[in-house]
Amino acid sequence: MNSQYGEMKVSPLIVSLMLVIIGMVWVTGVFYETEKTHDLILLKESDSFELKSEFLGEGIGYYKMYMPEFSGETIFVQILDTKNNIIQEEKIQTKLSVGYFDFNDDGTHILKITNISNNSINLETEFGDTNSQNMLLPGIMILVGSVIMMITLYFKIKNYRIEQPEENIS
């Protein structure tokens, strides 16, 4: 079918870019739909704080710690499963820290934070499920788009070098 405007060719580079952008937006949407708990607390010296979140099935959970007025303080973080077994523990000595852990049973998991510094700490926390199972399809989309983009750019650069050889100056 011929139209008066001719045929429109779709560049592989545009297709790959669209795949990557759509995949990234999709991953962001999946992540922001997850169940998570937020809290802002002031932890005094040697105080502890617990944050609870419900997890379903198996997956990857995460926690994010942010100390806005960080000046070398240290906190101790533990993740406890539904039976109060320690899944993971870590000392945090940075302004922002994100940690991931595997969970494999339904129920309430606990994020336990202890201030092991000599000063009080303002702390912003986030604790929840990454919902990683639902990120597989958009992740594949991003991967395919990236591979197509790299191959397309490789051939464009290769063809450019062939079309524009360096001149030998004698």
Side-chain angles (χ1 to χ4, degrees), residues 69-82:
E69 298 145 16
F70 179 74
S71 59
E73 293 87 358
T74 304
I75 57 174
F76 184 68
V77 175
Q78 290 181 316
I79 307 296
L80 307 172
D81 67 7
T82 56

Side-chain angles (χ1 to χ4, degrees), residues 19-36:
L19 281 173
V20 170
I21 290 171
I22 290 169
M24 290 170 69
V25 169
W26 192 355
V27 164
T28 303
V30 167
F31 185 73
Y32 280 104
E33 286 178 358
T34 62
E35 287 291 321
K36 52 187 152 237

Side-chain angles (χ1 to χ4, degrees), residues 4-161:
Q4 66 186 27
Y5 300 109
E7 292 183 29
M8 187 174 128
K9 286 175 61 177
V10 179
S11 162
L13 192 57
I14 299 297
V15 170
S16 64
L17 187 60
M18 291 307 295
L19 281 173
V20 170
I21 290 171
I22 290 169
M24 290 170 69
V25 169
W26 192 355
V27 164
T28 303
V30 167
F31 185 73
Y32 280 104
E33 286 178 358
T34 62
E35 287 291 321
K36 52 187 152 237
T37 309
H38 301 271
D39 216 327
L40 213 103
I41 54 172
L42 174 65
L43 266 184
K44 295 189 187 323
E45 181 183 341
S46 302
D47 273 358
S48 289
F49 175 77
E50 290 185 355
L51 205 55
K52 297 179 181 184
S53 192
E54 285 291 319
F55 293 98
L56 299 173
E58 293 183 9
I60 301 171
Y62 79 99
Y63 58 89
K64 181 171 91 174
M65 303 288 147
Y66 176 63
M67 295 180 253
E69 298 145 16
F70 179 74
S71 59
E73 293 87 358
T74 304
I75 57 174
F76 184 68
V77 175
Q78 290 181 316
I79 307 296
L80 307 172
D81 67 7
T82 56
K83 299 175 185 108
N84 284 334
N85 296 319
I86 297 171
I87 298 175
Q88 183 173 327
E89 56 186 14
E90 173 185 13
K91 274 186 185 178
I92 298 175
Q93 296 175 299
T94 58
K95 184 172 188 161
L96 175 67
S97 178
V98 178
Y100 297 92
F101 59 94
D102 295 321
F103 63 88
N104 43 16
D105 50 348
D106 293 350
T108 303
H109 287 65
I110 299 170
L111 170 68
K112 185 176 180 181
I113 307 159
T114 306
N115 181 356
I116 55 177
S117 295
N118 295 329
N119 342 343
S120 295
I121 300 173
N122 280 319
L123 185 64
E124 295 176 24
T125 62
E126 193 173 302
F127 180 50
D129 184 356
T130 60
N131 209 1
S132 59
Q133 311 87 307
N134 296 339
M135 292 185 191
L136 184 60
L137 217 52
I140 291 171
M141 185 181 284
I142 293 168
L143 177 67
V144 168
S146 299
V147 169
I148 293 171
M149 189 180 300
M150 286 187 289
I151 291 170
T152 304
L153 290 173
Y154 169 77
F155 283 113
K156 281 187 179 283
I157 291 170
K158 182 179 168 194
N159 290 340
Y160 179 80
R161 294 182 86 196

